Amino acid sequence: MANQPSSYPILCASFNQDASLFAIGTRDGFRIFDSNNGRLCYERALGAFNIVEMLFSSNLVAIVGAGEQPSLSPRRLCLFNTMSGNALRELNFLTSILAVRMNRKRLIVLLQDKTYIYDINSLTILDTIDTVPNLKGICAFSPSLDGCFLALPASITKGSLLLYNVMELQLHCEIDAHLAPLSTMVLSSNGMYIATASEQGTMIRVHLVSEATKSYSFRRGSYPSTIFSLSFGQCSQVPEILVATSSSGSVHVFPLGFAINQSRRSGGFLGSIMLDSISDALDPAHHHIVHNAVPAGIKSYAVIRKVDRVADTSSSEIVACRATLAIITYNGYFQEYNLSLSNQNEFSRSLDCEFNLLTAIANNDVRL
């Protein structure tokens, strides 16, 4: 989530792979917070940063400058140790770095028309992928080593994407998700599902990665809107919840697990023989909306941090779930909501906390 307009005090925002920590980059440096209690764990005043990516809860952070200082080039990736305060390695590129992703085995670096896959331990280049022009650095990455996929746009004229298995270093499949170009996408933590939105922003589509088939579609609204972020809840199989933030300022909550289970029970023959354009018109429009969560037009980034499932004691069927939703707004605020959903389409939410990320004071007792 980098390369934001200059009017925003926050230039980038990211959560680590298990959403236990989050980081922001500003014109003064970068800050890392504990997601569980909002404490400022670490800050470094080095200058402006466009990218700050963490590796779980380790001391390793990948940072890329915004180019506002000569020493912080947007073409240089620095692997930084927060414990020692020193750079471990630097990688230089010919053009600006647009996105960085990591897990315990791989380091992914996206440029405008190339993507590099590294072994994160030796920093050996394992593969180089030539891509269509990707000026916004759109990508999705699943950190699971068992389902470690990287998704990249496959076209600048339509919403198709390529899925790479970055452990086996091979193309997995191509998915035609939308008629319009992609605006954002996200993979579930286990790499089983991918959700996408196009520049039109009216439909959110979910595909099963293993079969490259559409599992479900959700209609966000009838009028175009920019989808800023998508997030699945943490899961071992089917994610229960998918959330989206948009330029309208609302947060859209889709009960994905309940929808897929209901679809399976109702039978899939009709949907299997209908064209996407027809079946989309019949997709359930009901979903849940947190209105005015963010000021309209302000960039935001939302992540489902936790999901607790409630099962029926007699049948073991999941009948409800409770989720913790964290939102970072690029005008400098953090919000956390408690969400509750049921298989009867009941929904409730409450704002648990909100604070200013730019005025937080570091707790010297907390270190990464």
Side-chain angles (χ1 to χ4, degrees), residues 18-335:
D18 59 11
S20 61
L21 299 169
F22 66 91
I24 61 170
T26 69
R27 286 180 173 76
D28 298 321
F30 66 92
R31 294 180 148 203
I32 298 175
F33 295 81
D34 187 327
S35 300
N36 294 303
N37 50 36
R39 287 183 296 177
L40 176 58
C41 303
Y42 184 88
E43 61 180 332
R44 190 78 174 184
L46 297 172
F49 287 93
N50 261 347
I51 294 174
V52 182
E53 290 288 332
M54 296 165 286
L55 181 62
F56 291 92
S57 298
S58 72
N59 300 318
L60 181 65
V61 180
I63 52 178
V64 178
E68 296 185 4
Q69 292 84 16
S71 61
L72 296 177
S73 168
R75 299 186 298 275
R76 180 183 301 120
L77 170 63
C78 175
L79 297 178
F80 188 82
N81 187 319
T82 58
M83 181 67 73
S84 66
N86 297 321
L88 300 175
R89 281 286 298 272
E90 290 186 345
L91 301 174
N92 293 288
F93 300 88
L94 296 178
T95 59
S96 294
I97 301 165
L98 301 179
V100 175
R101 298 291 185 268
M102 294 186 290
N103 67 11
R104 291 189 172 95
K105 295 288 187 180
R106 296 290 184 260
L107 168 68
I108 314 296
V109 181
L110 269 72
L111 309 183
Q112 177 177 324
D113 55 7
K114 286 185 183 296
T115 296
Y116 295 93
I117 301 175
Y118 290 84
D119 180 289
I120 198 169
N121 295 301
S122 66
L123 292 185
T124 302
I125 296 180
L126 301 176
D127 200 1
T128 302
I129 304 170
D130 293 320
T131 65
V132 299
N134 187 7
L135 298 177
K136 297 179 180 178
I138 298 170
C139 67
F141 183 63
S142 56
S144 170
L145 297 182
D146 294 327
C148 189
F149 292 100
L150 171 69
L152 299 168
S155 172
I156 60 173
T157 59
K158 63 178 183 177
S160 59
L161 62 97
L162 298 173
L163 270 167
Y164 292 87
N165 186 318
V166 299
M167 299 305 295
E168 299 177 2
L169 302 176
Q170 64 183 18
L171 178 65
H172 175 69
C173 66
E174 180 173 352
I175 296 175
D176 292 323
H178 303 268
L179 296 178
L182 296 169
S183 66
T184 188
M185 52 186 170
V186 67
L187 279 154
S188 60
S189 58
N190 58 11
M192 290 181 62
Y193 291 88
I194 184 166
T196 60
S198 74
E199 292 180 352
Q200 193 162 9
T202 54
M203 297 295 300
I204 310 295
R205 292 204 170 94
V206 178
H207 286 79
L208 182 62
V209 169
S210 61
E211 301 176 9
T213 55
K214 188 181 74 169
S215 295
Y216 221 75
S217 290
F218 295 96
R219 185 174 294 279
R220 181 210 57 81
S222 301
Y223 298 97
S225 181
T226 300
I227 304 298
F228 289 139
S229 70
L230 293 168
S231 174
F232 286 111
Q234 296 282 331
C235 59
S236 58
Q237 292 296 320
V238 177
E240 299 295 341
I241 304 175
L242 172 67
V243 299
T245 63
S246 70
S247 55
S248 68
S250 298
V251 176
H252 300 264
V253 182
F254 305 101
L256 179 61
F258 296 140
I260 289 178
N261 290 334
Q262 290 169 5
S263 177
R264 288 170 178 168
R265 287 195 297 266
S266 63
F269 173 72
L270 183 60
S272 68
I273 63 174
M274 291 191 301
L275 297 175
D276 282 353
S277 59
I278 299 175
S279 61
D280 281 347
L282 299 178
D283 282 335
H286 71 275
H287 64 275
H288 309 291
I289 303 175
V290 181
H291 292 285
N292 303 316
V294 178
I298 297 295
K299 181 91 179 211
S300 58
Y301 180 34
V303 165
I304 293 287
R305 290 205 307 110
K306 299 177 183 177
V307 176
D308 295 318
R309 298 163 180 83
V310 179
D312 186 297
T313 55
S314 60
S315 65
S316 298
E317 178 185 2
I318 301 298
V319 295
C321 67
R322 293 184 290 269
T324 302
L325 171 68
I327 306 172
I328 299 172
T329 65
Y330 280 68
N331 63 343
Y333 288 87
F334 176 87
Q335 298 176 334

